[in-house]
Amino acid sequence: MKFLADENIALAVVLFLQKQGHDVASITQLSPGSSDASVLLKAEEEQRILITSDTDFGELVYRVGQQHAGIILLRLDDQRNANKIRVLRKLLKIHAADLPDAFVVVTE
C-alpha cells in the first residue's frame, strides 16, 4: 500500500511500514512545516493513505470537503512509537482492503 506519514508520525513508524513492503513517504523528510491542506492534497494527488494524529484533517474532509485517498487518524492514549506500530500492524492485518478512500479513526 502507499502511505504518506504526517509530521507527527515518527520515522521509526515509517521504517516499520517500509520493512513490511509498503511505499511510505514522510512529510518530515519531504516538506516539514507544510500546511494540513497541502499535506492532504499531496496524499490525494499521489493516491497515498495519510497516517496522522492530527484531528484537523477531519475538519478539512468533513467540513471543507477536501478530497482524499484515505486517512488513518491515530487517536491513541499511548503515543509511543511501539504502540503506533502495534496498532498499525493489527489494523493492516485485519482491515487493509477497507482503507483506500476511507477515513478511519483508530484507537487502542
Side-chain angles (χ1 to χ4, degrees):
M1 296 187 87
K2 292 176 64 175
F3 295 104
L4 179 62
D6 195 12
E7 282 186 280
N8 51 38
I9 304 301
L11 293 179
V13 178
V14 171
L15 291 173
F16 160 76
L17 291 168
Q18 289 172 336
K19 286 180 183 177
Q20 300 300 307
H22 299 287
D23 178 348
V24 186
S26 170
I27 290 298
T28 300
Q29 294 174 318
L30 297 173
S31 55
S34 295
S35 70
D36 291 345
S38 65
V39 169
L40 192 54
L41 181 61
K42 179 172 185 58
E44 202 268 329
E45 286 175 347
E46 296 181 9
Q47 288 300 287
R48 293 181 181 275
I49 297 169
L50 177 66
I51 303 173
T52 187
S53 294
D54 185 345
T55 58
D56 291 340
F57 288 100
E59 181 86 9
L60 288 172
V61 169
Y62 291 106
R63 186 174 241 182
V64 177
Q66 190 164 342
Q67 297 295 309
H68 64 91
I71 298 173
I72 298 171
L73 175 61
L74 299 176
R75 300 293 294 156
L76 306 174
D77 293 328
D78 179 354
Q79 289 288 326
R80 292 178 294 180
N81 292 335
N83 190 49
K84 288 179 181 179
I85 289 168
R86 182 187 66 76
V87 167
L88 285 169
R89 179 183 286 127
K90 185 175 180 180
L91 175 71
L92 292 171
K93 182 178 180 180
I94 298 170
H95 297 288
D98 301 320
L99 298 176
D101 301 317
F103 191 110
V104 179
V105 178
V106 181
T107 63
E108 277 89 353

